[in-house]
Amino acid sequence: MTSHPRDTPQFYLTAPSPCPYLPGQEERKVFTHLVGRRARDLNEILTQGGFRRSQTIAYRPACETCRACISVRVVVADFLASTSQRRILQRNVDLVGTPEPNRPSSEQYTLFRRYLDARHGDGGMIDMTVLDYAMMIEDSHVDTHLVVYRRRGPDTAINGRGTGAPVALCLTDVLSDGLSMVYSFYDPAEASRSLGTYMILDHVRRAEALGLPYLYLGYWVGGSRKMDYKARFKPQERLYGPGWQRVE
C-alpha cells in the first residue's frame, strides 16, 4: 500500500459542471486542501502557480476543452492609473479602508446579502446562509484579513478609521510577493462609486506601501463580460504555459 506523509498535498478533480462565464462550456477544477502547519507555504506556492483560495481549498481550472481562464497579477511598481481610474479614486476620497481581523459579523452579512441579491441573483453563492458566510470569512489557515471601507469621520485623521456601516469589504491574503484579493463585495446602492475598481486601486496602493511586487486578481476570462474589468489594470502579468508573461 502506498502511503503519503501527512503534509503532502493530495489533489482531486471535480466532475464537469456548467461554466459560469462562457455559455456552452463545462468547467472542471483541480483542488487540494490548505490545512495544517504548511498551509501558508502551500498557499504561496499554489497562488504563484495560478491557483485561487476559497476557505481551506486551493483550486484552479482543469477544463478538458477550454483554456480561457488566465491567472492575472498587477505589476505594482509600474502601475499607472488611467484617467478614468484616477476619477474613481477621487470619487471615493471620502472613504477609508481599515485592515481588520477576518471575523464575520451580522453587519457584514447584511451587506453581503444585498450585494448578492442585486448583482448575482443567478449565481452559485445566492443561497449562502449566515453560517456559509462566516465560514468563507474565518475558515482559513493562511495569513488573511478583511479590509473594511467606511466613510471618513471626524476622528479619521487621528485613528485612521472610518465611521458608520461598511460600504465595501475585501477578504485579502498576504503573500511574500503580493496581496491576493480573495473576495470583495460592496453596497449596490453606491454603484456610481465604481467600488469594485476602487478596491483594486486601493489594494495596489496597499501592496506598494508594503513593498510587495504584485496584486493577484484571480482569473481573467477572455470573452466574458464579467471578467473584462481585470484587463484594465496594466501593466499586468498573465500566466500561460511557459510562465508569467507581461502585458502592457
Side-chain angles (χ1 to χ4, degrees):
M1 179 181 297
T2 302
S3 61
H4 299 275
R6 181 173 298 179
D7 287 337
T8 301
Q10 304 298 302
F11 291 88
Y12 308 90
L13 187 65
T14 65
S17 61
C19 176
Y21 303 114
L22 298 177
Q25 295 286 350
E26 287 189 331
E27 70 168 357
R28 301 189 77 177
K29 296 175 181 176
V30 60
F31 70 94
T32 190
H33 297 279
L34 296 171
V35 294
R37 62 184 179 87
R38 292 191 59 197
R40 180 173 177 174
D41 291 342
L42 182 58
N43 187 46
E44 293 252 353
I45 294 169
L46 293 179
T47 300
Q48 292 162 5
F51 279 70
R52 291 289 281 168
R53 183 180 74 82
S54 177
Q55 296 174 225
T56 58
I57 297 292
Y59 68 91
R60 70 170 298 170
C63 307
E64 295 177 357
T65 61
C66 180
R67 296 293 183 270
C69 292
I70 305 296
S71 294
V72 171
R73 63 188 186 186
V74 181
V75 182
V76 169
D78 297 338
F79 176 78
L80 289 175
S82 66
T83 300
S84 62
Q85 289 169 344
R86 289 196 297 271
R87 284 198 292 264
I88 291 170
L89 286 171
Q90 183 60 35
R91 197 178 305 153
N92 292 283
V93 72
D94 62 325
L95 299 183
V96 58
T98 305
E100 298 182 7
N102 55 315
R103 290 197 292 265
S105 70
S106 58
E107 185 179 54
Q108 295 170 20
Y109 181 71
T110 298
L111 180 60
F112 176 68
R113 286 300 333 167
R114 290 174 59 202
Y115 172 77
L116 288 184
D117 292 342
R119 303 281 299 190
H120 299 286
D122 59 348
M125 302 175 75
I126 193 65
D127 294 325
M128 286 182 65
T129 65
V130 174
L131 179 59
D132 294 330
Y133 174 79
M135 293 292 286
M136 180 178 76
I137 297 299
E138 67 182 357
D139 192 9
S140 170
H141 293 245
V142 304
D143 187 357
T144 191
H145 63 266
L146 288 170
V147 180
V148 183
Y149 297 87
R150 293 183 170 90
R151 288 176 172 81
R152 294 181 180 273
D155 297 327
T156 298
I158 299 172
N159 59 26
R161 303 178 68 86
T163 186
V167 176
L169 292 95
C170 185
L171 183 64
T172 304
D173 286 353
V174 181
L175 311 173
S176 63
D177 69 342
L179 299 178
S180 177
M181 298 179 70
V182 176
Y183 191 77
S184 61
F185 58 95
Y186 54 85
D187 185 348
E190 300 283 354
S192 62
R193 288 180 175 270
S194 301
L195 287 166
T197 295
Y198 169 69
M199 282 189 280
I200 294 176
L201 295 171
D202 181 66
H203 273 69
V204 170
R205 296 191 297 193
R206 291 175 183 276
E208 183 177 29
L210 293 169
L212 299 173
Y214 300 114
L215 174 64
Y216 288 85
L217 297 183
Y219 300 115
W220 168 71
V221 184
S224 170
R225 293 183 61 187
K226 292 181 180 179
M227 293 298 183
D228 277 350
Y229 71 94
K230 295 183 181 181
R232 301 175 193 145
F233 299 87
K234 294 177 180 175
Q236 61 182 226
E237 293 181 358
R238 298 176 185 174
L239 185 58
Y240 295 103
W244 290 97
Q245 299 181 16
R246 183 170 171 124
V247 177
E248 299 291 344

